[in-house]
Amino acid sequence: MIDKNRRGLVLAAGGALAAGAMGDLAWAAPPDRKLGYAIVGLGSYGLGVIIPQFKNCRNSRLVALVSGDPAKAQRVAREYGVPDKNIYNYENYDQIRNNPDIDIVYVCLPVSMHAEYTIRAAKAGKHVLCEKPMAVSSAECEAMIAACRQAGKKLMIGYRCHFEPYNLEAIRRARAGEIGKLRYFRSEHGFTFHDPNAWRLKKAMAGGGSMMDIGIYALNAARYMTGEEPVAVYAQETTDRNDPRFREVEDMIGFQLEFPSGVIGSCQSMYSANQNHILLMGDKGRIEMEPATGYYGNRMWIGNGREKEITPPPGPGATQWAGQLDHMAQCVMQDREPIVAGEEGLRDLRIIEAIYRSAREQKRILLKA
């Protein structure tokens, strides 16, 4: 169970950070000290998004690669200055225990592989940053947390939006009461998935469809924007099983979240339409973001419509990914708990499991505290 007092402190720290007061996230890590990361998986995210971000980091550097494609690994190593001795494959992965260059591994693999490679990293004595969703089930999340705890290593989940300036500014303004008492939260997250052969459309590898991959942004945002944990959920799925993309996983899921304060969260997840939107409605105004959780180009308005556009102050890093990578490094150096630790990923997976159950059984599901 997540410590709700700790969660409140996390959200408060995020708001202070967005305001420019670095707060609990601005730990005094030496700017010239960099911990070494091994990137596990050279797919589109690990290779195309994460690895190029190390040039923007103050406390993180790329030191090792783990890949099942030796030729690709060699090419990437040459491009980014990684020595041959720091290239691993999935069979000799456990040998990272003998490499003092590696402080942290970042698991950027298909979801079904997250638990195995997190647990093996912990047993090898390495801290772990694991991409979201954390795993294919809450049981796997629990095993990952237990393995890292037993090894005395930190576990963080790749919720990049906790380091993204627009999201931090929305949290700050909502906490400051700029839209009054929050009454309603809405978010739609989706994109049109074209390739029917992609691993994200294979249930065994992804754990599910749009809800696991893109709907989790709406779910996680509902939690960090409200600062509350939902107490009940009702969901409905709409999927065309004749579409070759959706033979194994869902397309659209709409889900409603009930929060203790009376706030209602209305969310939509989809793989057949493009949308990236967050709306917070208070009794005195609203905050709207569109795109809300994109890689680039996010926008935000506050007031009663879109008449007042807001540009937030910078986030904790040069980019949201650099802020995320450095936060994990700072947690290791300062022996602090990441603001998006394994328990954050576990909570989302428990709610996602309840969303799937609600859609399947067509009934409201109460969530355990």
Side-chain angles (χ1 to χ4, degrees), residues 227-246:
E228 299 184 65
E229 296 295 351
V231 295
V233 63
Y234 181 81
Q236 183 176 14
E237 178 187 342
T238 303
T239 302
D240 179 3
R241 293 299 177 184
N242 292 318
D243 189 319
R245 296 173 297 175
F246 307 123

Side-chain angles (χ1 to χ4, degrees), residues 184-189 210-212 214-223 230 232-238 250 252-259 264-270 348 351-352 354-356 358-359 367:
Y184 177 69
F185 171 91
R186 193 179 91 212
S187 180
E188 303 89 24
H189 273 70
S210 72
M211 185 66 235
M212 292 285 283
I214 192 72
I216 195 171
Y217 284 103
L219 170 59
N220 197 247
R223 294 174 55 230
V233 63
Y234 181 81
Q236 183 176 14
E237 178 187 342
T238 303
E250 79 279 355
M252 289 198 297
I253 284 190
F255 57 99
Q256 183 169 291
L257 302 166
E258 301 171 27
F259 291 93
I264 295 296
S266 179
C267 303
Q268 189 79 29
S269 169
M270 67 207 87
D348 273 349
I351 298 170
I352 288 172
I355 289 170
Y356 281 141
S358 176
L367 299 170

Side-chain angles (χ1 to χ4, degrees), residues 294-313:
Y295 286 3
Y296 307 100
N298 293 334
R299 299 178 70 184
M300 179 170 65
W301 298 265
I302 187 167
N304 292 312
R306 288 192 173 187
E307 68 275 6
K308 184 179 180 182
E309 186 166 2
I310 300 297
T311 299

